[in-house]
């Protein structure tokens, strides 16, 4: 089921919906919750309802809790879970601190 959910995010229509939501959110966490999370939830609902989960936010939460419970037991599930989260959660970066950093990224 988790693999199907990840695959659903790659469907061109869903990828476009996620991209538009990301653009609207502008990396603002509050706006991510407002724009991106509902789209991500809907994409997951469309897949998991075929597996007996309710077709609402509660179904997605139950699915997420179930995946979390298997992460420590199965490295493949843990890896796929990380991929799924990366699709709709912004990377958590610490703000630069200390003198002389200037906020310039190096590669």
């Amino acid at each position: 089921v988790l693999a199907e959910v990840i695959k659903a995010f790659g469907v061109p229509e869903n990828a476009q919906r996620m991209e538009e939501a990301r653009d609207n959110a502008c990396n603002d966490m509050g706006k991510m919750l407002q724009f991106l999370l509902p789209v991500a939830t809907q994409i997951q609902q469309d897949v998991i309802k075929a597996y007996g989960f309710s077709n609402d936010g509660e179904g997605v939460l139950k699915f997420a809790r179930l995946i979390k419970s298997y992460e420590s037991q199965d490295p493949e599930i843990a890896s796929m879970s990380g991929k799924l989260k990366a699709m709709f959660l912004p990377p958590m970066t610490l703000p630069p601190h200390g003198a002389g950093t200037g906020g310039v990224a190096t590669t």
Side-chain angles (χ1 to χ4, degrees):
V1 179
L2 183 55
E4 284 190 39
V5 169
I6 291 170
K7 196 164 105 176
F9 277 92
V11 171
E13 175 188 321
N14 290 338
Q16 181 179 347
R17 290 171 58 202
M18 289 294 289
E19 190 60 37
E20 288 172 4
R22 260 189 216 93
D23 289 347
N24 288 334
C26 303
N27 271 346
D28 177 285
M29 185 53 90
K31 289 182 179 179
M32 288 277 188
L33 294 172
Q34 181 181 358
F35 295 114
L36 196 62
L37 197 56
V39 174
T41 299
Q42 182 62 56
I43 293 169
Q44 291 179 74
Q45 284 172 351
D46 291 344
V47 174
I48 66 173
K49 68 183 177 187
Y51 294 92
F53 291 92
S54 60
N55 192 24
D56 57 15
E58 185 61 32
V60 172
L61 290 174
K62 285 180 181 178
F63 175 69
R65 284 193 293 264
L66 184 63
I67 295 304
K68 185 85 174 147
S69 73
Y70 286 109
E71 283 179 354
S72 62
Q73 301 169 31
D74 188 327
E76 187 176 353
I77 289 177
S79 173
M80 287 192 296
S81 177
K83 286 180 189 174
L84 178 60
K85 290 174 189 167
M87 291 178 181
F88 59 88
L89 292 176
M92 299 304 285
T93 56
L94 296 174
H97 58 82
T101 60
V104 177
T106 58
T107 54

